[in-house]
Amino acid sequence: MPGEKNPLDTPLLGLPGVGKERASQLERLELRTVGDLFLHRPGRYEDRRHFEKIAGLKLNEPALTHGKIIASGVRRFRKGSQSIFEFILDDGTGRLHCRWWNLPFMEKYFKVGDETVVFGKPNSLRPRTMDHPETEVIQALENSLHLNRIVPIYPLTEGLPQRWLRSLTWRILEQFGNAVPEPKLTTTGKSALGVSLLSRAEAIRLLHFPMEIADTEAARRRLALDEYIELQSAIQTRCKNLERNARSVSCSGDNHLIKPFLAALGFHLTDSQTGVLREIRRDMAGPTPMRRLLQGDVGSGKTVVAACVALMALESGANVALMAPTEILAEQHWRNFRRWLEPLGIAVELRTGSTKTGIETGQEELRLHRSNVVNQKVWVGTHALVQEGFTPEKLGLVIIDEQHKFGVAQRETLVRKGAYPHLLVMTATPIPRTLGLTLYGDLDISILAQSPPGRGKIKTFVRDSTGLPKVWKFVAEQLSKGRQAYVVYSRLEAEDTAAGVKAVEKEFHNLEKTFAPWRAGLLHGRLKSEEKNQVMAAFEANHVQVLIATSVVEVGLDVPNATVMVIENAEQFGLAQLHQIRGRIGRGKEDSYCILIAAGKTEDSIQRLKIMEETSDGFRIAEEDLRLRGPGEFLGREQSGAPPLRFGELSRDIALIEQAREIVRENLKLK
């Protein structure tokens, strides 16, 4: 019935057992309604049908055990405020000491005689000891819910017991579980694709109280499919509305600018570049504004493609705006576009935070290049292009470089400064297919699969910090051959660093002495724009041989003579970012060397970095990075635009995403 209240919107406050204090704790977990509680995903599950005997616990191996508390208390040390709370658990086969450092208040949560479940890693066997394990006191009458079954372990907040939240979820499921509605599109997809699916109500019940561990994945996949369908509905509806309402200006051009541009380049485009330009020309000639993502691994020639696309628009009488995430990259694009387009009579203006009024090529200067001056312009800039003061005329094409560094809102703000201009977004971070279908699902995708010919190989090595003297000796040998080098750090200042993480400002002074008589330069994000430009110009001219920098070198530098890259504390970077930084070398004919120094000696961090040794395939590296870190960390939480998925796991859900895409596509055809 219209206007009838959805039972899942029932507030938790006021339900049996949920008073103001408990409701306030649930609020901190953003759990306000029955529906919120149903979608509160357990962080993990414990199979409490099978407990380890205390006598069988093994050193440093995670284990689940239980027993009765036979002693407990707080021990305080004479000096200082240090203390240990400890209880001893006995299961008849042995005793386990459970300890918490400097948490004396925990004494009030446990008493002798409590039946207690413990999960953790023994850090000693004489006596058997766990420090800071997870614990749960079990009441005798509640064993059917909390023992002898697969038990959900939820994310909690201070003061909220695991057992209480599990009991509440059970009661709420009993009361409201049958009120969970079945989304229309998922039901349609079930019959259309012949896929056997749980109902949404079944999925929610098994999410919280599975019969077998396999039930948890089946429930997750069912709920993830609903999320992907909702996401694809938004994406495909937006695309359909664009097709229905937007009419683009044809910007396919006539080649009168592109031909002389290509002739003056001094090299031929790769087959991959040529193929991508054909795709883009078709888009630019179509009735609907182009919306295309250009992916190209580092050094694959995206900038030249962008210049060709800009010339198509310019040939058609439209103007162009190119937005980059940093001043360094914007200024590099500005210099390249000036060098390429000024001889063709095209004005190129730079707009960044440091150049608020813009730096423009004068018309008199253009007349020296070409008597028949074209009254058109390319604006190159940073976020300054989305400010209110920037009002471009006849904007026919927007190009956004390193798209993932911007928010979706910034992209749309720039696009709205024109009347449905064409849009080309570029990234040198290879986007795994799952992210391509979700984060960039409203864009057609082109891939530059080749690198320009004639470039040397990049050889990558992982070393620990004990090998640094040999590394610096190797760098010096390369410098003596006339080569140049980058040394990259993850932090700027010493006070910003965690233990063992080096800072670029301190290390610069050390390395100046190490590499003397060769000159070293310092580059980081807090330098003024003029200072950055001076350092980069000196490095490009080989007046500086070693550039010591933060990850600001990730984009915007193209120095073919720089053939060595040393990255200290490499474990602090994501794999995709390391691949980007590594792309600063390997731009000339000589072989290049990337040396990753791992200060953290954990097996996981070393194995992760070994992937960089094994491959230069950006897509494989990106897939692994996404799997290890998730989309938020992979692209940067602030600007990633990564969808807020509770159940979707983009690193392994490609089949589900494609299924959702097909379900939505079929549904939109019927409308």
Side-chain angles (χ1 to χ4, degrees), residues 207-238:
L207 174 76
H208 296 286
F209 297 103
M211 302 303 291
E212 300 293 340
I213 287 293
D215 293 340
T216 66
E217 175 62 6
R220 183 201 72 80
R221 287 174 60 82
R222 171 63 178 81
L223 297 171
L225 180 61
D226 287 344
E227 289 182 325
Y228 292 134
I229 286 174
E230 184 178 351
L231 184 63
Q232 286 295 323
S233 293
I235 289 169
Q236 293 189 38
T237 300
R238 188 161 66 241

Side-chain angles (χ1 to χ4, degrees), residues 103-250:
L103 297 174
F105 63 85
M106 291 194 66
E107 184 176 23
K108 65 183 179 182
Y109 297 128
F110 303 95
K111 62 181 184 294
V112 172
D114 281 346
E115 186 74 25
T116 304
V117 173
V118 172
F119 178 80
K121 292 181 182 180
N123 55 301
S124 171
L125 295 181
R126 294 184 179 179
R128 288 183 179 82
T129 305
M130 286 184 184
D131 285 344
H132 294 255
E134 292 182 36
T135 59
E136 185 178 334
V137 176
I138 301 299
Q139 304 299 329
L141 296 178
E142 294 179 330
N143 283 1
S144 61
L145 183 58
H146 307 289
L147 287 177
N148 302 316
R149 66 180 305 137
I150 296 168
V151 172
I153 306 297
Y154 295 102
L156 297 174
T157 187
E158 185 179 348
L160 190 66
Q162 185 71 242
R163 191 178 70 253
W164 182 89
L165 182 56
R166 189 181 303 127
S167 298
L168 175 70
T169 304
W170 177 271
R171 294 198 307 272
I172 298 298
L173 271 169
E174 289 295 295
Q175 185 176 353
F176 293 96
N178 293 332
V180 175
E182 192 68 14
K184 180 184 174 184
L185 279 189
T186 312
T187 308
T188 304
K190 180 178 179 179
S191 57
L193 296 178
V195 177
S196 177
L197 292 173
L198 297 170
S199 70
R200 186 171 173 85
E202 289 173 316
I204 286 174
R205 188 171 293 279
L206 289 177
L207 174 76
H208 296 286
F209 297 103
M211 302 303 291
E212 300 293 340
I213 287 293
D215 293 340
T216 66
E217 175 62 6
R220 183 201 72 80
R221 287 174 60 82
R222 171 63 178 81
L223 297 171
L225 180 61
D226 287 344
E227 289 182 325
Y228 292 134
I229 286 174
E230 184 178 351
L231 184 63
Q232 286 295 323
S233 293
I235 289 169
Q236 293 189 38
T237 300
R238 188 161 66 241
C239 292
K240 195 169 185 178
N241 289 339
L242 184 71
E243 291 175 9
R244 183 186 298 123
N245 301 321
R247 289 293 171 265
S248 65
V249 176
S250 177

Side-chain angles (χ1 to χ4, degrees), residues 555-590:
V555 292
L557 278 166
D558 187 356
V559 182
N561 191 50
T563 60
V564 182
M565 168 78 69
V566 179
I567 304 176
E568 288 220 56
N569 297 119
E571 73 281 356
Q572 296 290 315
F573 296 95
L575 295 180
Q577 189 176 24
L578 286 173
H579 183 61
Q580 277 272 67
I581 296 170
R582 179 172 65 177
R584 295 304 100 201
I585 59 174
R587 292 173 171 263
K589 292 182 290 185
E590 305 294 331

Side-chain angles (χ1 to χ4, degrees), residues 277-299:
L277 284 170
R278 284 197 203 98
E279 291 176 340
I280 291 173
R281 191 183 290 276
R282 283 196 298 271
D283 286 356
M284 301 263 278
T288 303
M290 175 178 74
R291 296 289 183 266
R292 187 165 286 276
L293 169 67
L294 175 60
Q295 293 189 68
D297 216 337
V298 284

Side-chain angles (χ1 to χ4, degrees), residues 535-547:
V535 173
M536 289 192 299
F539 190 61
E540 288 169 355
N542 203 2
H543 299 319
V544 163
Q545 288 74 47
V546 184
L547 188 61

Side-chain angles (χ1 to χ4, degrees), residues 413-428:
T413 298
L414 184 53
V415 166
R416 283 197 294 271
K417 289 182 182 263
Y420 295 114
H422 299 284
L423 173 68
L424 178 69
V425 300
M426 306 192 299
T427 179

